[in-house]
Amino acid sequence: MALQHESTTPYHSVQDALRVLETVARHSSGVTEAELARHTGIGPERLTGLLRMLRREGYVEQVADGAYVTGDALARLGSAQGREQALRDNLQHTLDRLRDSVGAAVYISRYIDGEVKIDQFAAGPATPVVNEWVDFRFSAHATAIGKSLLGQLDHNGRRDHLSRHKMARLTSRTITNDRVLLSRLESQPPTVPHLDLQEYAVGTVCAAVPITAGSSVGCLALSLPVEHAHRLRQAADALNRSAAPVLLSLAIQS
């Protein structure tokens, strides 16, 4: 099944962040920002931003003399014992912080063996999770998550999915015509978030952005109660801008 790949800013940030991490890891006694700039070729302003993100995520630490060393989060991931749990904990920490910054429940989902799968999510009393009243595996046509994942497949991959899952009408806004859905997926720019405006459930709006890591199709999504629908596009833009830490966690896992 072929995938559609597009280069976006979060991907470039992750590539640069991985170069920084590799350089820090090679210098066990510490490496200064000036040395990092020289070794990686990354400009000072961009490097400062990357180091800020890496410190926030716990991947690097700054010691007394100002040099950077490997952080606790990266050290835990380097241990074979408990690595899988450490990866999940680290990603959950990132999702929790993203939930608080965008003010919405957030989800990470992947398309695995022809099905939609929610891997992890972060919600809370003020940011309620979507009520999964219809299994997400069978409602990709109606959800922002599903449309984002299907949008990353090629035409045959999309048709294969729709041939296996009937496009049921879940609300009065649900698209049930496969030609209409396929046309919208084809015309959707890769950098524009997919939206669900009460197509899956009355009372909930959602948005999703792609976070493809390697050959794995994935997306980052958020949901809001419909009374906060006026915040959806702004929250979706913030989600897109904040995708780099999640992508970095996935890249380190792979």
Side-chain angles (χ1 to χ4, degrees), residues 5 109 115 131 190 202 207:
H5 292 281
S109 177
E115 302 294 350
N131 174 30
V202 174

Side-chain angles (χ1 to χ4, degrees), residues 4 13 26-27 49 94 102 114 194 216 234:
Q4 294 189 340
S13 295
R26 287 200 305 267
H27 295 77
T94 300
V102 301
H194 286 269
S216 174
Q234 182 180 7

Side-chain angles (χ1 to χ4, degrees), residues 39-50:
H39 287 300
T40 63
I42 300 172
E45 185 176 348
R46 181 166 179 77
L47 180 59
T48 297
L50 288 170

Side-chain angles (χ1 to χ4, degrees), residues 32 49 67 72 101 105 139 142 145 217:
T32 66
D72 288 342
S101 68
S139 53
I145 283 174
V217 169

Side-chain angles (χ1 to χ4, degrees), residues 29-163:
S29 59
V31 57
T32 66
E33 190 164 340
E35 290 170 332
L36 281 169
R38 187 168 65 252
H39 287 300
T40 63
I42 300 172
E45 185 176 348
R46 181 166 179 77
L47 180 59
T48 297
L50 288 170
L51 287 169
R52 189 183 304 118
M53 178 187 75
L54 293 172
R55 287 178 66 187
R56 189 175 63 238
E57 298 297 319
Y59 292 129
V60 301
E61 295 176 3
Q62 195 170 21
V63 293
D65 63 356
Y68 289 89
V69 296
T70 299
D72 288 342
L74 200 61
R76 288 196 301 271
L77 297 180
S79 171
Q81 185 174 11
R83 175 178 165 81
E84 185 174 344
Q85 187 60 48
L87 287 167
R88 288 189 64 83
D89 290 346
N90 191 63
L91 183 55
Q92 190 63 49
H93 178 68
T94 300
L95 293 176
D96 288 344
R97 189 167 51 251
L98 187 55
R99 171 202 60 203
D100 295 339
S101 68
V102 301
V106 295
Y107 314 76
I108 187 165
S109 177
R110 289 185 297 163
Y111 194 74
I112 301 175
D113 296 330
E115 302 294 350
V116 173
K117 182 178 184 293
I118 306 294
D119 280 346
Q120 289 179 242
F121 67 90
T127 54
V129 71
V130 172
N131 174 30
E132 189 179 354
W133 75 284
V134 176
D135 194 318
F136 288 137
R137 292 176 299 171
F138 309 134
S139 53
H141 64 291
T143 65
I145 283 174
K147 287 184 282 187
S148 180
L149 295 175
L150 293 178
Q152 296 174 65
L153 307 181
D154 63 12
H155 184 75
N156 290 336
R158 295 168 188 161
R159 280 210 166 276
D160 172 72
H161 183 92
L162 296 178
S163 71

